[in-house]
PDB file of all heavy atoms in Angstrom:
ATOM      1  N   LEU A 590       9.527   8.119  15.994  1.00 98.00           N
ATOM      2  CA  LEU A 590       9.009   7.887  14.634  1.00 98.00           C
ATOM      3  C   LEU A 590       7.800   8.795  14.350  1.00 98.00           C
ATOM      4  O   LEU A 590       7.665   9.340  13.271  1.00 98.00           O
ATOM      5  CB  LEU A 590       8.602   6.425  14.440  1.00 98.00           C
ATOM      6  CG  LEU A 590       9.746   5.384  14.491  1.00 98.00           C
ATOM      7  CD1 LEU A 590       9.204   3.957  14.408  1.00 98.00           C
ATOM      8  CD2 LEU A 590      10.756   5.621  13.364  1.00 98.00           C
ATOM      9  N   LYS A 591       6.927   8.898  15.297  1.00 98.00           N
ATOM     10  CA  LYS A 591       5.731   9.772  15.155  1.00 98.00           C
ATOM     11  C   LYS A 591       6.123  11.225  14.981  1.00 98.00           C
ATOM     12  O   LYS A 591       5.647  11.892  14.092  1.00 98.00           O
ATOM     13  CB  LYS A 591       4.798   9.571  16.332  1.00 98.00           C
ATOM     14  CG  LYS A 591       3.482  10.350  16.229  1.00 98.00           C
ATOM     15  CD  LYS A 591       2.562  10.015  17.410  1.00 98.00           C
ATOM     16  CE  LYS A 591       1.157  10.626  17.217  1.00 98.00           C
ATOM     17  NZ  LYS A 591       1.186  12.101  17.258  1.00 98.00           N
ATOM     18  N   SER A 592       6.950  11.723  15.884  1.00 98.00           N
ATOM     19  CA  SER A 592       7.319  13.144  15.836  1.00 98.00           C
ATOM     20  C   SER A 592       8.116  13.500  14.575  1.00 98.00           C
ATOM     21  O   SER A 592       7.849  14.533  13.944  1.00 98.00           O
ATOM     22  CB  SER A 592       8.112  13.550  17.077  1.00 98.00           C
ATOM     23  OG  SER A 592       9.322  12.817  17.155  1.00 98.00           O
ATOM     24  N   GLU A 593       9.047  12.646  14.189  1.00 98.00           N
ATOM     25  CA  GLU A 593       9.811  12.919  12.997  1.00 98.00           C
ATOM     26  C   GLU A 593       8.971  12.818  11.736  1.00 98.00           C
ATOM     27  O   GLU A 593       9.183  13.567  10.768  1.00 98.00           O
ATOM     28  CB  GLU A 593      11.030  11.963  12.907  1.00 98.00           C
ATOM     29  CG  GLU A 593      12.079  12.176  13.939  1.00 98.00           C
ATOM     30  CD  GLU A 593      12.633  13.587  13.930  1.00 98.00           C
ATOM     31  OE1 GLU A 593      12.881  14.129  12.839  1.00 98.00           O
ATOM     32  OE2 GLU A 593      12.896  14.159  15.030  1.00 98.00           O
ATOM     33  N   SER A 594       7.982  11.912  11.751  1.00 98.00           N
ATOM     34  CA  SER A 594       7.053  11.857  10.602  1.00 98.00           C
ATOM     35  C   SER A 594       6.260  13.149  10.482  1.00 98.00           C
ATOM     36  O   SER A 594       6.202  13.727   9.392  1.00 98.00           O
ATOM     37  CB  SER A 594       6.105  10.700  10.835  1.00 98.00           C
ATOM     38  OG  SER A 594       6.777   9.448  10.842  1.00 98.00           O
ATOM     39  N   GLU A 595       5.702  13.598  11.597  1.00 97.00           N
ATOM     40  CA  GLU A 595       4.832  14.772  11.555  1.00 97.00           C
ATOM     41  C   GLU A 595       5.688  16.032  11.204  1.00 97.00           C
ATOM     42  O   GLU A 595       5.213  16.862  10.410  1.00 97.00           O
ATOM     43  CB  GLU A 595       4.174  14.958  12.898  1.00 97.00           C
ATOM     44  CG  GLU A 595       3.149  13.852  13.187  1.00 97.00           C
ATOM     45  CD  GLU A 595       2.593  13.927  14.584  1.00 97.00           C
ATOM     46  OE1 GLU A 595       3.126  14.686  15.423  1.00 97.00           O
ATOM     47  OE2 GLU A 595       1.601  13.244  14.863  1.00 97.00           O
ATOM     48  N   ILE A 596       6.866  16.177  11.765  1.00 98.00           N
ATOM     49  CA  ILE A 596       7.696  17.330  11.496  1.00 98.00           C
ATOM     50  C   ILE A 596       8.094  17.387  10.011  1.00 98.00           C
ATOM     51  O   ILE A 596       8.174  18.490   9.413  1.00 98.00           O
ATOM     52  CB  ILE A 596       8.945  17.264  12.365  1.00 98.00           C
ATOM     53  CG1 ILE A 596       8.620  17.546  13.826  1.00 98.00           C
ATOM     54  CG2 ILE A 596       9.999  18.316  11.885  1.00 98.00           C
ATOM     55  CD1 ILE A 596       9.739  17.294  14.775  1.00 98.00           C
ATOM     56  N   ASN A 597       8.296  16.208   9.400  1.00 98.00           N
ATOM     57  CA  ASN A 597       8.863  16.196   8.046  1.00 98.00           C
ATOM     58  C   ASN A 597       7.795  15.832   6.990  1.00 98.00           C
ATOM     59  O   ASN A 597       8.162  15.524   5.859  1.00 98.00           O
ATOM     60  CB  ASN A 597       9.987  15.154   7.998  1.00 98.00           C
ATOM     61  CG  ASN A 597      11.207  15.623   8.808  1.00 98.00           C
ATOM     62  OD1 ASN A 597      11.895  16.498   8.382  1.00 98.00           O
ATOM     63  ND2 ASN A 597      11.403  15.009   9.965  1.00 98.00           N
ATOM     64  N   GLY A 598       6.522  15.945   7.338  1.00 98.00           N
ATOM     65  CA  GLY A 598       5.496  15.831   6.303  1.00 98.00           C
ATOM     66  C   GLY A 598       5.080  14.437   5.926  1.00 98.00           C
ATOM     67  O   GLY A 598       4.467  14.222   4.855  1.00 98.00           O
ATOM     68  N   ALA A 599       5.405  13.433   6.738  1.00 98.00           N
ATOM     69  CA  ALA A 599       4.974  12.067   6.496  1.00 98.00           C
ATOM     70  C   ALA A 599       3.829  11.752   7.477  1.00 98.00           C
ATOM     71  O   ALA A 599       3.582  12.484   8.408  1.00 98.00           O
ATOM     72  CB  ALA A 599       6.120  11.068   6.641  1.00 98.00           C
ATOM     73  N   THR A 600       3.200  10.595   7.274  1.00 98.00           N
ATOM     74  CA  THR A 600       2.131  10.138   8.169  1.00 98.00           C
ATOM     75  C   THR A 600       2.610   8.932   8.967  1.00 98.00           C
ATOM     76  O   THR A 600       3.142   7.972   8.426  1.00 98.00           O
ATOM     77  CB  THR A 600       0.887   9.726   7.351  1.00 98.00           C
ATOM     78  OG1 THR A 600       0.412  10.854   6.586  1.00 98.00           O
ATOM     79  CG2 THR A 600      -0.224   9.240   8.246  1.00 98.00           C
ATOM     80  N   TYR A 601       2.427   9.028  10.270  1.00 98.00           N
ATOM     81  CA  TYR A 601       2.819   7.943  11.172  1.00 98.00           C
ATOM     82  C   TYR A 601       1.661   6.967  11.322  1.00 98.00           C
ATOM     83  O   TYR A 601       0.514   7.363  11.514  1.00 98.00           O
ATOM     84  CB  TYR A 601       3.251   8.482  12.519  1.00 98.00           C
ATOM     85  CG  TYR A 601       3.581   7.377  13.528  1.00 98.00           C
ATOM     86  CD1 TYR A 601       4.696   6.581  13.382  1.00 98.00           C
ATOM     87  CD2 TYR A 601       2.736   7.138  14.615  1.00 98.00           C
ATOM     88  CE1 TYR A 601       4.996   5.609  14.279  1.00 98.00           C
ATOM     89  CE2 TYR A 601       3.009   6.163  15.561  1.00 98.00           C
ATOM     90  CZ  TYR A 601       4.166   5.405  15.386  1.00 98.00           C
ATOM     91  OH  TYR A 601       4.484   4.400  16.291  1.00 98.00           O
ATOM     92  N   VAL A 602       1.978   5.654  11.325  1.00 98.00           N
ATOM     93  CA  VAL A 602       0.948   4.606  11.456  1.00 98.00           C
ATOM     94  C   VAL A 602       1.283   3.845  12.731  1.00 98.00           C
ATOM     95  O   VAL A 602       2.292   3.135  12.840  1.00 98.00           O
ATOM     96  CB  VAL A 602       0.940   3.672  10.234  1.00 98.00           C
ATOM     97  CG1 VAL A 602      -0.068   2.518  10.499  1.00 98.00           C
ATOM     98  CG2 VAL A 602       0.632   4.411   8.955  1.00 98.00           C
TER      99      VAL A 602
END
Side-chain angles (χ1 to χ4, degrees):
L590 294 175
K591 184 176 188 294
S592 62
E593 291 302 320
S594 298
E595 293 173 348
I596 290 170
N597 292 287
T600 300
Y601 175 70
V602 178

